Amino acid sequence: MARGKLRIYLGAAPGVGKTYAMLSEAHRRVERGTDLVVAFVEHHGRPRTEVMLHGLEQIRRRELEYRGAVFTEMDVDAVRARGPAVALVDELAHTNVPGSRNGKRWQDVEELLEAGIDVISTVNIQHLESLGDVVEAITGVRQRETVPDEVVRRADQIELVDMSPQAIRRRMAHGNIYQSDKVDAALSNYFRPGNLTALRELALLWVADRVDEYLQEYRAEHSIRSTWQARERIVVGLTGGPEGRTLIRRAARMAAKGSGSEVLAVYIARSDGLTSASPKELAVQRTLVEDLGGTFHHVIGDDISGALLEFARGVNATQIVLGSSRRKAWQYMFGPGVGASVARDSGPDLDVHIVTHEEVAKGRGLPVVRGARLGRARIIAGWLVGVVGPVLLSLLLTGIANGPGLANDVLLFLFLTVVAALLGGQLPALASAAAGSLLLNFYFTPPTHTLTVSDPENLVAIVIFFAVAVSVASVVDLAARRTHQAARLRAESEILSFLAGSVLRGETTLDALLERVRETFGMETVALLERAGDVEPWTCAGRAGTDHGAPLLRPEDADVDMPVGDHMALALRGRVLPAEDRRVLAAFAAQAAVVLDRQRLVGEAERARELAEGNRIRTALLAAVSHDLRTPLASIKASVTSLRSDDVAWSREDEAELLAGIEAGADRLDHLVGNLLDMSRLQTGTVTPLIREIDLDEVVPMALGGVPEGSVTLDIPEELPIVAVDPGLLERSVANLVENAVKYSPDGRAVLVSASALGDRVELRIADRGPGVPDGAKDRIFEPFQRYGDAPRGAGVGLGLAVARGFAEAMGGTLAAEDTPGGGMTMVLTLRAAPGGPPARPGLPARATT
C-alpha cells in the first residue's frame, strides 16, 4: 500500500486562520467528490470555525480518563477502520493524554500515512523543535508541545497561512480568537506586536528555506545546471590576497540592497600541494564574511575558473564578485586570467562583477605553488612551441627566396627554444634544440636536404646553437626550480608562523587545526589517532572532513600518515603527498599533539579546580561543624542537663525559659543543617526544580515565618503577573534573603520586601538599612561560607546567600546585590513571568493552539 501524502498549514501564531483554511480546503475536496473525514478538529469556541465543520463527516473521538477528568483524543483505530481518502487532523504538535497509544499526535498522523490515508494538518512555527530556544527568547514562553522539524519537512505540501500582526490583534480584539475576558491579557503579553512580527519573520524564513530545498531537489533530479534567479545569491571569489576584504564588504553591500540575499565566499585551492594563499589572511577573511552574515567555503579544484563556476551554479547563485587581477601586464601572456575566463564562460544567467582595489596590477604576492611547478596547459604549449614551432619556422624560411642567412636562422631557432623553456620547462626546450639542430642542418646548411655538413664553420655554428639552447633551457629550468622553492619556502614559513602563533595564543582548537590541515593539503579526511600501547587498538582523538567508505580508524587505512611519538599519528585520506610536503605536515602533526595535550591539561586543571573548591568547602564544613553546629548543640545540651538535674528545683517560669532555649537551639540547628544540605545539592547538581505558575502573594508571606513580627514590611501589588517558579525553592530563597536582611538591619528599621513587573520579568526586592556592602564585595558575599565584616561566629556558616542564588538560578532567575538609596543593601531577585496574564484575569492558557 502506498504511503499517504501529508499537507500542512503552517502559521506564525495562534489565530492566523490555519484551521479555517484547512476546513475550506476540505469543503472544496468534498465538492469534488473526495472521501474526506474530520479525524480531529478543535474549534476552541470560535463561531466561524465551528460553522465550517457543518457538512463534514466527523469521526467520533476516543474518551480517556486522567486524574479524575475525562478528555477526548483522536481515535486512530476508528479512522483506519473507516479508511477515508483524506483525514483532517488539527494541532500536529499536540501531546496526547497519558494512556493513549502514542505520546504525540504527529505519531498518530504517521500511522494514518502508513495506512495510505492522506492527512491535512496544522501547526504553528513556535512548535517546531529546533526553534524552541529562539521562540522563548522572543516571547519569554517555553513551548512544551513540539514536533520534530523532520516531520514537517517531510510533508508533501506546506502552505503558509500569513497575516500581519495588526490584523491578528484586530481579530483578537473582536473576540475571534479568545473570549472577551482573556483578550486584554493576551494582547499585553504573548500577542504584542513585536512578538508577532518576530514570529512572522521566523515562519517566512523557514518556509523560504523549505522552498529552496524543493528547488534544489528539482534541479538535481532534472539535471538543470542553468541558474534560476529565484533568490539573490552572491558568490565572492577569494584568492587569499589582501583584496579579499574589499570584495567581501562590496558583496555584503550588494546583498543588503535586497531582502533575503545571501553572500557565499569561496576559496578555490589546488589539489596538488600547499596553497599559495596566506593562511592568516584567509582566517581573517573567513571571520569577516561570517561576521557580515555570510558563509565561507573551501573548494578543491585545479581549474580555478571552472571550479568557481561549478560552485556558483551548484548553489544557484545569481552573481559572482571578483577582484581585478593583481597580475602585471606581461603576465597575461600566460593566459587571460580567472576574471576574464569566468566572465566569458558564465553565460547570460550569471552576472559577474569585477571590483577594483588597491592591489590591481601590483603583482601576486606569491607565485602559484604546485607540485609539478607548471600547469598542464603551459606544458602542452611548451611542447607545441618546441616541436611544432621549428617545423613551421622551417617552412616559413624555405618559402623566402633569399633567406635572412644562417646566422639569423640560428637566432630564430634559438628564440623558439627559449620560448619553449619559458612555457614548458627543460624537456620541451631540449626537444626544441634537437629539432632545431636537425632542421638547420637539413634545410639551411649546404649541401641542403641532407644531414651532411660540408663547411666546418656551419658545423661549429650548429654545435654552438645546440650547446647554447641546452644551456638556456637549463638556466630557465633552474630559475623555475628556484622560484618554485622560494615560493614553497615562503608559503611554508607563513603557514608555520601563523600556525605556531595561533596555537601558542590558544586560538586554535583541535578540530579547527585538523580542518586547517585538510584545507591546506586538499584532503578528504584528517584524523588524529592515538593508542595507549604498542598492542592497544587505535582511538580517534579528533577528526575533520567526511569519510567516503570505510572510516579512518588506523594509520594503515590512510593515504598519508605522519607519526607523532610512539603512540600517536596524524592520518590523511584523499591522495598521496609528495615528499616535500611532509615537512610541513610533520609540523602540523606536532602542533596537533600540543593542542591535544593542552586541551587535556585545561580539562585536568578544571577538574583540579573543582576538587580544590570541594576541598575548600569540606574544610569550611568541618570548621562549621566544629563550631557553628556545636554552639546550638551545646545550648540544647546545657538546657536538657539543667532540666534533668535533681539538685535544683526549677520554677515553672525557669522551665519554660529552658524549654524555649532548647526550641530555639533546635530551630537554629535545623536551619544550619538545612542550608548545608541545600548547598550540597547545589554543588552536586541534584536540584531539579518543579516549575509551576503561582502568585507571589502565595509564597512570600510563607517565607517570613522565621523572622520577628513587625520586622518586615510587604509591598506586593495584586496586579502583578504570576511567575513560573518552584514554590519550595522560591520560599527557601526568600526566607534566606529576608533573614539575612533582618540580621543586619538596625533595630526599629523594618526590612522592605516589594515587587514589580518589568517586561516579561518580575523583580522581588528585599531592602534593608544596614551597613551595606562595598561594590568590590557584592559578588563575594554569594560565595559559600562567606561572612561579611565582623559578623559573629555564631551568626551562621555563611551559606544563606549562596543557597538563595543557587536556587534562583536553578529556576531560571537571577539574584544580585544593589545599594539601598539612603544606606543599606537591596537584594534583587528576578523571576520569569508565566505566560498568560495577571492573576486578576485567570484562565488564559500558558500556550494557545489553534
Side-chain angles (χ1 to χ4, degrees), residues 524-547:
E524 294 178 358
T525 309
V526 177
L528 183 62
L529 307 176
E530 63 175 349
R531 59 181 178 181
D534 294 336
V535 296
E536 298 295 328
W538 290 94
T539 59
C540 182
R543 181 186 303 272
T546 56
D547 288 320

Side-chain angles (χ1 to χ4, degrees), residues 449-744:
H449 301 95
T450 67
L451 295 178
T452 303
V453 180
S454 59
D455 189 349
E457 294 182 359
N458 294 336
L459 178 61
V460 172
I462 293 175
V463 172
I464 292 176
F465 161 75
F466 184 79
V468 171
V470 172
S471 300
V472 169
S474 300
V475 170
V476 171
D477 184 70
L478 180 62
R481 289 175 182 272
R482 293 291 183 264
T483 302
H484 169 71
Q485 292 173 359
R488 285 190 57 84
L489 291 174
R490 181 175 177 180
E492 289 179 12
S493 63
E494 189 167 0
I495 289 173
L496 295 177
S497 174
F498 173 72
L499 174 65
S502 61
V503 171
L504 291 175
R505 291 189 300 269
E507 299 173 354
T508 303
T509 63
L510 181 60
D511 292 340
L513 180 62
L514 296 181
E515 180 64 23
R516 177 75 64 188
V517 175
R518 190 187 71 83
E519 293 179 356
T520 299
F521 295 99
M523 292 295 184
E524 294 178 358
T525 309
V526 177
L528 183 62
L529 307 176
E530 63 175 349
R531 59 181 178 181
D534 294 336
V535 296
E536 298 295 328
W538 290 94
T539 59
C540 182
R543 181 186 303 272
T546 56
D547 288 320
H548 298 289
L552 188 56
L553 300 177
R554 300 180 306 165
E556 295 81 5
D557 300 332
D559 295 317
V560 181
D561 69 283
M562 177 60 64
V564 187
D566 296 332
H567 302 125
M568 187 177 293
L570 186 64
L572 298 86
R573 174 181 291 170
R575 63 186 179 86
V576 178
L577 286 180
E580 56 190 0
D581 285 351
R582 294 183 66 87
R583 181 171 62 254
V584 178
L585 182 61
F588 271 111
Q591 293 287 16
V594 171
V595 171
L596 180 61
D597 288 342
R598 191 184 68 232
Q599 288 183 353
R600 289 176 175 172
L601 288 174
V602 170
E604 292 177 1
E606 180 63 23
R607 288 191 293 272
R609 189 195 64 78
E610 293 175 356
L611 290 175
E613 178 67 16
N615 288 332
R616 188 184 70 82
I617 292 178
R618 280 192 292 271
T619 301
L621 178 60
L622 289 174
V625 171
S626 64
H627 186 281
D628 295 279
L629 297 184
R630 292 180 63 183
T631 299
L633 284 175
S635 175
I636 295 173
K637 175 68 174 175
S639 298
V640 171
T641 302
S642 300
L643 288 174
R644 290 175 55 89
S645 175
D646 297 330
D647 299 338
V648 180
W650 301 103
S651 65
R652 186 178 299 275
E653 291 78 8
D654 293 336
E655 290 182 355
E657 184 177 351
L658 290 173
L659 290 174
I662 294 174
E663 183 178 13
D667 291 341
R668 183 175 169 190
L669 185 63
D670 178 69
H671 179 72
L672 292 174
V673 172
N675 276 339
L676 289 171
L677 293 177
D678 289 339
M679 180 52 59
S680 175
R681 293 168 59 200
L682 289 171
Q683 291 290 333
T684 57
T686 58
V687 176
T688 304
L690 301 176
I691 304 298
R692 68 183 183 91
E693 299 174 3
I694 195 169
D695 191 350
L696 281 178
D697 281 342
E698 301 180 30
V699 179
V700 175
M702 298 175 60
L704 306 182
V707 297
E709 186 176 354
S711 60
V712 176
T713 301
L714 280 179
D715 181 16
I716 301 180
E718 295 182 359
E719 63 272 12
L720 276 179
I722 55 178
V723 291
V725 296
D726 182 316
L729 298 185
L730 178 59
E731 181 182 345
R732 291 298 305 276
S733 297
V734 175
N736 284 357
L737 294 175
V738 172
E739 289 176 8
N740 185 77
V742 171
K743 182 192 308 180
Y744 288 100

Side-chain angles (χ1 to χ4, degrees), residues 191-532:
F191 287 84
R192 294 193 296 268
N195 289 357
L196 296 176
T197 301
L199 292 173
R200 187 189 189 196
E201 183 178 11
L202 275 179
L204 291 171
L205 290 175
W206 195 92
V207 173
D209 288 340
R210 186 68 184 109
V211 171
D212 191 57
E213 290 177 13
Y214 281 133
L215 181 60
Q216 295 292 350
E217 293 173 3
Y218 181 84
R219 283 164 52 83
E221 291 173 358
H222 294 79
S223 301
I224 299 174
R225 296 182 56 81
S226 61
T227 300
W228 287 2
Q229 299 184 1
R231 185 176 182 181
E232 288 292 339
R233 284 189 176 87
I234 304 173
V235 170
V236 184
L238 301 178
T239 65
E243 77 281 359
R245 306 183 202 182
T246 302
L247 303 184
I248 293 171
R249 293 189 179 96
R250 182 70 180 92
R253 290 196 297 272
M254 294 168 58
K257 296 179 180 179
S259 179
S261 299
E262 294 182 55
V263 175
L264 302 91
V266 58
Y267 171 69
I268 311 294
R270 296 186 183 274
S271 61
D272 54 357
L274 294 176
T275 65
S276 62
S278 166
K280 182 177 181 180
E281 184 62 32
L282 274 182
V284 172
Q285 293 174 14
R286 179 197 293 265
T287 303
L288 176 61
V289 71
E290 291 174 352
D291 289 343
L292 293 175
T295 56
F296 184 90
H297 303 268
H298 189 279
V299 177
I300 305 298
D302 293 321
D303 182 3
I304 302 299
S305 58
L308 181 59
L309 287 171
E310 185 74 18
F311 174 83
R313 293 191 176 106
V315 299
N316 200 29
T318 57
Q319 301 179 60
I320 295 179
V321 176
L322 299 173
S324 297
S325 178
R326 287 185 285 133
R327 297 191 299 175
K328 295 183 181 295
W330 63 269
Q331 291 178 307
Y332 282 95
M333 65 178 292
F334 300 120
V338 174
S341 300
V342 170
R344 180 191 62 211
D345 300 333
S346 61
D349 53 355
L350 193 57
D351 297 335
V352 179
H353 303 268
I354 305 296
V355 178
T356 59
H357 50 84
E358 296 180 352
E359 304 297 323
V360 174
K362 290 186 177 180
R364 298 175 64 92
L366 284 174
V368 178
V369 180
R370 287 167 257 170
R373 296 188 302 278
L374 299 172
R376 181 179 300 176
R378 285 186 58 181
I379 293 176
I380 293 175
W383 279 103
L384 289 176
V385 171
V387 177
V388 180
V391 175
L392 296 178
L393 181 60
S394 299
L395 294 176
L396 176 64
L397 294 177
T398 55
I400 301 175
N402 295 319
L406 181 60
N408 292 325
D409 293 340
V410 170
L411 291 177
L412 290 174
F413 277 95
L414 183 60
F415 173 74
L416 288 179
T417 302
V418 173
V419 173
L422 290 173
L423 290 176
Q426 188 174 26
L427 291 179
L430 293 176
S432 176
S437 299
L438 292 175
L439 292 172
L440 281 170
N441 185 6
F442 191 81
Y443 286 105
F444 304 105
T445 59
T448 58
H449 301 95
T450 67
L451 295 178
T452 303
V453 180
S454 59
D455 189 349
E457 294 182 359
N458 294 336
L459 178 61
V460 172
I462 293 175
V463 172
I464 292 176
F465 161 75
F466 184 79
V468 171
V470 172
S471 300
V472 169
S474 300
V475 170
V476 171
D477 184 70
L478 180 62
R481 289 175 182 272
R482 293 291 183 264
T483 302
H484 169 71
Q485 292 173 359
R488 285 190 57 84
L489 291 174
R490 181 175 177 180
E492 289 179 12
S493 63
E494 189 167 0
I495 289 173
L496 295 177
S497 174
F498 173 72
L499 174 65
S502 61
V503 171
L504 291 175
R505 291 189 300 269
E507 299 173 354
T508 303
T509 63
L510 181 60
D511 292 340
L513 180 62
L514 296 181
E515 180 64 23
R516 177 75 64 188
V517 175
R518 190 187 71 83
E519 293 179 356
T520 299
F521 295 99
M523 292 295 184
E524 294 178 358
T525 309
V526 177
L528 183 62
L529 307 176
E530 63 175 349
R531 59 181 178 181

Side-chain angles (χ1 to χ4, degrees), residues 753-771:
V753 179
S754 60
S756 60
L758 182 64
D760 59 347
R761 317 291 286 182
V762 174
E763 286 188 353
L764 185 66
R765 308 176 75 89
I766 297 95
D768 63 59
R769 292 295 180 179

Side-chain angles (χ1 to χ4, degrees), residues 49-127:
T49 305
E50 186 176 4
V51 169
M52 293 295 293
L53 286 169
H54 297 168
L56 299 177
E57 179 184 351
Q58 301 186 44
I59 300 296
R60 184 180 179 85
R61 300 181 185 181
R62 182 185 178 190
E63 294 185 351
L64 294 171
E65 184 175 349
Y66 179 67
R67 292 185 177 180
V70 177
F71 300 88
T72 60
E73 296 288 358
M74 179 175 65
D75 194 334
V76 180
D77 293 330
V79 178
R80 296 183 63 175
R82 168 65 174 77
V86 181
L88 304 186
V89 182
D90 204 5
E91 300 179 358
L92 187 64
H94 172 74
T95 301
N96 292 331
V97 174
S100 303
R101 180 163 57 194
N102 296 313
K104 293 285 190 176
R105 184 164 294 163
W106 64 264
Q107 296 172 324
D108 296 338
V109 169
E110 286 292 320
E111 286 195 29
L112 299 182
L113 295 174
E114 292 295 334
I117 301 174
D118 293 347
V119 175
I120 304 177
S121 188
T122 64
V123 71
N124 285 328
I125 191 68
Q126 65 263 31
H127 294 297

